[in-house]
Coordinates of all heavy atoms in Angstrom, one line a residue:
Chain A
K114 N -55.9 -6.4 -144.1 CA -57.1 -6.7 -144.9 C -56.9 -8.0 -145.7 O -57.7 -8.9 -145.7 CB -57.3 -5.5 -145.8 CG -58.6 -5.6 -146.7 CD -58.9 -4.2 -147.3 CE -59.7 -4.3 -148.5 NZ -58.9 -4.6 -149.7
H115 N -55.7 -8.2 -146.3 CA -55.4 -9.4 -147.1 C -55.5 -10.6 -146.2 O -56.0 -11.6 -146.6 CB -54.0 -9.3 -147.7 CG -53.9 -8.4 -148.9 ND1 -54.6 -8.7 -150.1 CD2 -53.3 -7.2 -149.1 CE1 -54.4 -7.7 -151.0 NE2 -53.6 -6.8 -150.4
L116 N -54.9 -10.5 -145.0 CA -54.9 -11.7 -144.1 C -56.3 -12.0 -143.6 O -56.7 -13.2 -143.6 CB -54.1 -11.3 -142.8 CG -52.6 -11.2 -143.0 CD1 -51.9 -10.5 -141.8 CD2 -51.9 -12.6 -143.2
Q117 N -57.1 -11.0 -143.3 CA -58.5 -11.2 -142.9 C -59.3 -11.8 -144.0 O -60.1 -12.7 -143.8 CB -59.1 -9.9 -142.4 CG -58.6 -9.5 -141.0 CD -59.2 -8.2 -140.5 OE1 -59.6 -7.3 -141.3 NE2 -59.2 -8.0 -139.2
E118 N -59.2 -11.3 -145.2 CA -60.0 -11.8 -146.3 C -59.6 -13.3 -146.7 O -60.5 -14.1 -146.9 CB -59.8 -10.9 -147.5 CG -60.6 -9.6 -147.4 CD -60.4 -8.6 -148.5 OE1 -59.7 -9.0 -149.5 OE2 -61.0 -7.6 -148.5
R119 N -58.3 -13.5 -146.7 CA -57.9 -14.9 -147.1 C -58.3 -15.9 -146.0 O -58.7 -17.0 -146.3 CB -56.4 -14.9 -147.3 CG -55.7 -16.3 -147.5 CD -55.8 -16.8 -148.9 NE -55.0 -18.0 -149.0 CZ -53.9 -18.2 -149.6 NH1 -53.3 -17.1 -150.2 NH2 -53.3 -19.3 -149.7
F120 N -58.1 -15.5 -144.7 CA -58.2 -16.6 -143.7 C -59.5 -16.4 -142.8 O -59.7 -17.2 -141.9 CB -56.9 -16.6 -142.8 CG -55.7 -17.0 -143.6 CD1 -54.8 -16.0 -143.9 CD2 -55.6 -18.3 -144.1 CE1 -53.6 -16.4 -144.7 CE2 -54.4 -18.6 -144.8 CZ -53.5 -17.7 -145.1
Q121 N -60.2 -15.3 -143.0 CA -61.5 -15.1 -142.3 C -61.3 -15.2 -140.7 O -62.0 -15.9 -140.0 CB -62.5 -16.1 -142.7 CG -62.9 -16.0 -144.2 CD -63.6 -14.7 -144.5 OE1 -64.5 -14.3 -143.8 NE2 -63.1 -14.0 -145.6
T122 N -60.2 -14.5 -140.3 CA -60.0 -14.5 -138.8 C -59.4 -13.1 -138.4 O -59.2 -12.3 -139.3 CB -59.0 -15.6 -138.4 OG1 -58.9 -15.7 -137.0 CG2 -57.6 -15.4 -139.0
L123 N -59.3 -12.9 -137.1 CA -58.7 -11.6 -136.7 C -57.2 -11.6 -137.1 O -56.5 -12.6 -137.1 CB -58.7 -11.6 -135.1 CG -60.1 -11.4 -134.5 CD1 -59.9 -11.5 -133.0 CD2 -60.7 -10.1 -134.9
A124 N -56.8 -10.4 -137.5 CA -55.4 -10.3 -137.9 C -54.9 -8.9 -137.5 O -55.6 -8.0 -137.3 CB -55.3 -10.4 -139.5
T125 N -53.6 -8.9 -137.2 CA -52.9 -7.6 -136.8 C -51.5 -7.6 -137.3 O -50.9 -8.7 -137.5 CB -53.1 -7.5 -135.3 OG1 -52.5 -6.2 -134.8 CG2 -52.4 -8.6 -134.5
I126 N -50.9 -6.4 -137.4 CA -49.5 -6.3 -137.8 C -48.8 -5.3 -136.9 O -49.4 -4.5 -136.2 CB -49.4 -5.9 -139.3 CG1 -49.8 -4.4 -139.4 CG2 -50.2 -6.7 -140.2 CD1 -49.3 -3.8 -140.7
G127 N -47.5 -5.4 -136.9 CA -46.7 -4.4 -136.2 C -45.3 -4.3 -136.9 O -44.9 -5.2 -137.6
N128 N -44.6 -3.2 -136.6 CA -43.3 -3.2 -137.2 C -42.3 -4.0 -136.4 O -42.6 -4.3 -135.2 CB -42.8 -1.7 -137.5 CG -42.3 -1.0 -136.3 OD1 -41.5 -1.5 -135.6 ND2 -42.7 0.2 -136.1
D129 N -41.2 -4.4 -137.0 CA -40.3 -5.3 -136.4 C -39.8 -4.9 -135.0 O -39.7 -5.6 -134.1 CB -39.2 -5.8 -137.3 CG -38.6 -4.7 -138.1 OD1 -38.9 -3.5 -137.8 OD2 -37.8 -5.0 -139.0
A130 N -39.4 -3.6 -134.9 CA -38.8 -3.1 -133.7 C -39.8 -3.1 -132.6 O -39.6 -3.4 -131.4 CB -38.2 -1.7 -133.9
N131 N -41.0 -2.6 -132.9 CA -42.1 -2.6 -131.9 C -42.4 -4.0 -131.4 O -42.6 -4.3 -130.2 CB -43.4 -2.0 -132.4 CG -43.4 -0.5 -132.4 OD1 -42.5 0.1 -131.7 ND2 -44.3 0.2 -133.0
L132 N -42.5 -5.0 -132.3 CA -42.8 -6.3 -131.9 C -41.6 -7.0 -131.2 O -41.8 -7.8 -130.3 CB -43.2 -7.2 -133.1 CG -44.5 -6.7 -133.7 CD1 -45.2 -7.8 -134.5 CD2 -45.5 -6.3 -132.7
A133 N -40.4 -6.6 -131.5 CA -39.2 -7.1 -130.7 C -39.4 -6.6 -129.3 O -39.1 -7.4 -128.4 CB -37.9 -6.6 -131.4
A134 N -39.8 -5.3 -129.1 CA -40.0 -4.8 -127.8 C -41.1 -5.7 -127.0 O -40.9 -6.1 -125.9 CB -40.5 -3.4 -127.8
M135 N -42.2 -6.0 -127.7 CA -43.2 -6.8 -127.1 C -42.7 -8.2 -126.8 O -43.0 -8.8 -125.8 CB -44.4 -6.9 -128.0 CG -45.2 -5.6 -128.0 SD -46.9 -5.8 -128.6 CE -47.7 -6.6 -127.2
G136 N -41.9 -8.8 -127.7 CA -41.4 -10.1 -127.5 C -40.5 -10.2 -126.3 O -40.6 -11.1 -125.4
E137 N -39.5 -9.2 -126.2 CA -38.6 -9.2 -125.1 C -39.3 -9.0 -123.8 O -39.0 -9.5 -122.7 CB -37.5 -8.2 -125.3 CG -36.5 -8.6 -126.4 CD -35.6 -9.7 -126.1 OE1 -35.5 -10.1 -124.9 OE2 -35.0 -10.3 -127.1
W138 N -40.4 -8.2 -123.9 CA -41.2 -7.8 -122.7 C -41.9 -9.0 -122.2 O -41.9 -9.4 -121.0 CB -42.1 -6.7 -123.0 CG -43.2 -6.4 -122.0 CD1 -43.0 -6.2 -120.6 CD2 -44.6 -6.2 -122.2 NE1 -44.2 -5.9 -120.0 CE2 -45.1 -5.9 -120.9 CE3 -45.4 -6.1 -123.3 CZ2 -46.5 -5.6 -120.8 CZ3 -46.7 -5.9 -123.2 CH2 -47.3 -5.6 -121.9
R139 N -42.6 -9.8 -123.0 CA -43.4 -10.9 -122.6 C -42.6 -12.1 -122.4 O -42.9 -12.9 -121.5 CB -44.5 -11.2 -123.6 CG -45.4 -10.0 -123.9 CD -46.2 -9.5 -122.7 NE -47.2 -10.4 -122.3 CZ -48.1 -10.2 -121.3 NH1 -48.0 -9.1 -120.6 NH2 -49.0 -11.1 -121.0
Y140 N -41.6 -12.4 -123.2 CA -40.9 -13.7 -123.2 C -39.4 -13.6 -123.1 O -38.8 -14.7 -123.2 CB -41.4 -14.4 -124.5 CG -42.8 -14.6 -124.6 CD1 -43.6 -14.0 -125.6 CD2 -43.5 -15.3 -123.6 CE1 -44.9 -14.2 -125.7 CE2 -44.9 -15.5 -123.7 CZ -45.6 -14.9 -124.7 OH -47.0 -15.0 -124.8
G141 N -38.9 -12.4 -123.1 CA -37.4 -12.4 -123.1 C -36.8 -11.7 -121.9 O -37.2 -11.9 -120.8
A142 N -35.8 -10.8 -122.2 CA -35.0 -10.1 -121.2 C -35.8 -9.1 -120.4 O -35.3 -8.6 -119.4 CB -33.8 -9.5 -121.8
G143 N -37.0 -8.8 -120.8 CA -37.8 -7.7 -120.1 C -39.0 -8.2 -119.3 O -39.8 -7.3 -118.9
K144 N -39.0 -9.5 -119.1 CA -40.2 -10.0 -118.4 C -40.4 -9.3 -117.1 O -39.4 -9.1 -116.3 CB -40.0 -11.5 -118.2 CG -40.5 -12.3 -119.3 CD -40.7 -13.8 -119.0 CE -39.3 -14.5 -119.2 NZ -39.5 -16.0 -119.1
G145 N -41.6 -8.9 -116.8 CA -41.9 -8.2 -115.5 C -41.7 -6.7 -115.5 O -42.1 -6.1 -114.5
H146 N -41.1 -6.2 -116.6 CA -40.9 -4.7 -116.6 C -42.0 -4.0 -117.4 O -42.0 -4.1 -118.6 CB -39.5 -4.4 -117.2 CG -38.4 -4.9 -116.4 ND1 -37.9 -4.1 -115.4 CD2 -37.6 -6.0 -116.4 CE1 -36.9 -4.8 -114.8 NE2 -36.7 -5.9 -115.4
N147 N -42.8 -3.3 -116.8 CA -43.9 -2.7 -117.5 C -43.6 -1.3 -118.0 O -44.4 -0.6 -118.7 CB -45.2 -2.6 -116.6 CG -45.9 -3.9 -116.6 OD1 -45.8 -4.7 -117.5 ND2 -46.8 -4.1 -115.6
H148 N -42.4 -0.8 -117.7 CA -41.9 0.4 -118.3 C -40.5 0.0 -118.9 O -39.5 -0.1 -118.2 CB -41.7 1.5 -117.3 CG -43.0 1.8 -116.6 ND1 -43.8 2.8 -117.0 CD2 -43.6 1.3 -115.5 CE1 -44.9 2.9 -116.2 NE2 -44.7 2.0 -115.2
L149 N -40.5 -0.2 -120.2 CA -39.4 -0.8 -120.9 C -39.1 -0.2 -122.2 O -40.0 0.2 -123.0 CB -39.7 -2.3 -121.0 CG -38.9 -3.3 -121.8 CD1 -39.2 -4.7 -121.3 CD2 -39.2 -3.2 -123.3
L150 N -37.8 -0.1 -122.5 CA -37.4 0.3 -123.9 C -36.6 -0.8 -124.5 O -35.7 -1.4 -123.9 CB -36.5 1.6 -123.8 CG -36.9 2.8 -123.1 CD1 -35.9 3.9 -123.3 CD2 -38.3 3.2 -123.6
Y151 N -36.9 -1.0 -125.8 CA -36.1 -1.9 -126.6 C -35.4 -1.1 -127.7 O -36.1 -0.3 -128.4 CB -37.0 -3.0 -127.2 CG -36.2 -3.9 -128.2 CD1 -35.5 -5.0 -127.8 CD2 -36.3 -3.6 -129.5 CE1 -34.8 -5.8 -128.7 CE2 -35.6 -4.4 -130.5 CZ -34.9 -5.5 -130.0 OH -34.2 -6.3 -130.9
V152 N -34.1 -1.2 -127.8 CA -33.3 -0.4 -128.8 C -32.5 -1.4 -129.6 O -31.7 -2.2 -129.0 CB -32.4 0.6 -128.1 CG1 -31.7 1.4 -129.2 CG2 -33.2 1.5 -127.2
T153 N -32.8 -1.5 -130.9 CA -32.0 -2.4 -131.7 C -30.9 -1.6 -132.5 O -31.3 -0.6 -133.1 CB -32.9 -3.2 -132.7 OG1 -32.1 -3.9 -133.6 CG2 -33.8 -2.3 -133.4
V154 N -29.7 -2.0 -132.3 CA -28.6 -1.3 -133.0 C -28.0 -2.3 -134.0 O -27.4 -3.3 -133.7 CB -27.5 -0.9 -131.9 CG1 -26.5 0.0 -132.6 CG2 -28.1 -0.2 -130.8
S155 N -28.3 -2.0 -135.2 CA -28.0 -2.9 -136.3 C -27.6 -2.1 -137.6 O -26.9 -1.0 -137.5 CB -29.2 -3.8 -136.5 OG -29.0 -4.7 -137.5
T156 N -28.2 -2.4 -138.7 CA -28.0 -1.6 -139.9 C -28.6 -0.2 -139.7 O -28.0 0.8 -140.1 CB -28.7 -2.3 -141.1 OG1 -28.4 -3.6 -141.1 CG2 -28.3 -1.6 -142.4
G157 N -29.7 -0.2 -139.0 CA -30.2 1.1 -138.5 C -30.3 1.0 -137.0 O -29.9 0.1 -136.4
I158 N -31.0 2.0 -136.4 CA -31.3 1.9 -135.0 C -32.8 2.1 -134.8 O -33.3 3.2 -135.3 CB -30.5 3.0 -134.1 CG1 -29.0 2.7 -134.2 CG2 -31.0 3.0 -132.7 CD1 -28.2 3.6 -133.4
G159 N -33.5 1.1 -134.3 CA -34.9 1.2 -134.2 C -35.3 1.0 -132.7 O -34.4 0.8 -131.9
G160 N -36.5 1.2 -132.4 CA -36.9 1.0 -131.0 C -38.4 0.7 -130.8 O -39.2 0.7 -131.8
G161 N -38.7 0.3 -129.6 CA -40.0 0.0 -129.2 C -40.1 0.3 -127.8 O -39.2 0.1 -127.0
V162 N -41.2 0.9 -127.4 CA -41.4 1.3 -126.0 C -42.6 0.6 -125.4 O -43.7 0.7 -126.0 CB -41.6 2.9 -125.9 CG1 -41.8 3.3 -124.5 CG2 -40.4 3.6 -126.6
I163 N -42.5 0.0 -124.2 CA -43.6 -0.5 -123.4 C -43.8 0.6 -122.3 O -42.9 0.8 -121.5 CB -43.3 -1.9 -122.9 CG1 -43.0 -2.9 -124.0 CG2 -44.5 -2.3 -122.0 CD1 -44.1 -3.1 -125.0
S164 N -44.9 1.2 -122.3 CA -45.2 2.2 -121.3 C -46.4 1.8 -120.5 O -47.5 1.6 -121.1 CB -45.5 3.6 -122.1 OG -45.9 4.5 -121.2
D165 N -46.2 1.6 -119.2 CA -47.3 1.2 -118.3 C -48.0 -0.1 -118.9 O -49.2 -0.2 -118.9 CB -48.3 2.3 -118.2 CG -49.1 2.2 -116.9 OD1 -48.7 1.4 -116.0 OD2 -50.1 2.9 -116.7
G166 N -47.2 -1.0 -119.3 CA -47.7 -2.3 -119.8 C -48.4 -2.3 -121.1 O -49.2 -3.2 -121.4
K167 N -48.1 -1.3 -121.9 CA -48.7 -1.2 -123.3 C -47.7 -0.7 -124.3 O -46.9 0.2 -124.0 CB -49.9 -0.2 -123.1 CG -51.1 -0.6 -124.0 CD -52.3 0.3 -123.8 CE -53.1 0.3 -125.0 NZ -54.1 1.3 -125.0
L168 N -47.8 -1.2 -125.5 CA -46.9 -0.8 -126.6 C -47.3 0.7 -126.9 O -48.4 1.0 -127.2 CB -47.0 -1.7 -127.8 CG -46.2 -1.3 -129.0 CD1 -44.7 -1.5 -128.6 CD2 -46.5 -2.2 -130.2
L169 N -46.2 1.5 -126.9 CA -46.5 2.9 -127.3 C -46.5 3.0 -128.8 O -45.6 2.7 -129.5 CB -45.3 3.8 -126.8 CG -45.3 5.3 -127.1 CD1 -46.3 6.0 -126.1 CD2 -43.9 5.9 -126.9
L170 N -47.7 3.5 -129.3 CA -47.9 3.6 -130.8 C -48.0 5.0 -131.3 O -47.5 5.3 -132.4 CB -49.1 2.8 -131.2 CG -49.0 1.3 -131.0 CD1 -50.4 0.7 -131.2 CD2 -48.0 0.7 -132.0
G171 N -48.6 5.9 -130.6 CA -48.8 7.3 -131.1 C -50.1 7.3 -132.0 O -50.7 6.2 -132.2
V172 N -50.4 8.5 -132.4 CA -51.7 8.7 -133.1 C -51.8 7.9 -134.4 O -52.8 7.5 -134.8 CB -51.9 10.2 -133.3 CG1 -51.0 10.9 -134.2 CG2 -53.4 10.5 -133.7
R173 N -50.6 7.7 -135.1 CA -50.6 7.0 -136.4 C -49.8 5.7 -136.3 O -49.5 5.1 -137.3 CB -50.0 7.8 -137.5 CG -50.9 8.9 -137.9 CD -50.4 9.4 -139.3 NE -51.4 10.4 -139.8 CZ -51.4 10.8 -141.1 NH1 -50.6 10.2 -141.9 NH2 -52.3 11.6 -141.5
G174 N -49.3 5.4 -135.1 CA -48.5 4.2 -135.0 C -47.1 4.4 -135.4 O -46.3 3.5 -135.6
L175 N -46.6 5.7 -135.4 CA -45.2 6.0 -135.8 C -44.3 6.3 -134.6 O -43.2 6.7 -134.8 CB -45.3 7.2 -136.7 CG -46.1 7.0 -138.0 CD1 -46.2 8.4 -138.8 CD2 -45.5 6.0 -138.9
A176 N -44.8 6.0 -133.4 CA -43.9 6.3 -132.2 C -42.8 5.2 -132.1 O -42.8 4.2 -132.8 CB -44.8 6.2 -131.0

Side-chain angles (χ1 to χ4, degrees):
Chain A
K114 186 166 154 275
H115 284 295
L116 291 163
Q117 285 178 333
E118 284 180 0
R119 169 89 175 251
F120 298 108
Q121 300 293 313
T122 187
L123 291 174
T125 182
I126 71 162
N128 82 46
D129 46 7
N131 276 348
L132 293 201
M135 285 200 73
E137 291 289 343
W138 170 46
R139 303 298 290 183
Y140 302 116
K144 272 192 276 192
H146 292 277
N147 279 340
H148 302 268
L149 171 156
L150 306 186
Y151 172 84
V152 183
T153 172
V154 188
S155 179
T156 313
I158 296 183
V162 178
I163 305 297
S164 171
D165 204 11
K167 213 173 158 195
L168 182 65
L169 181 77
L170 290 172
V172 69
R173 287 198 174 198
L175 299 172

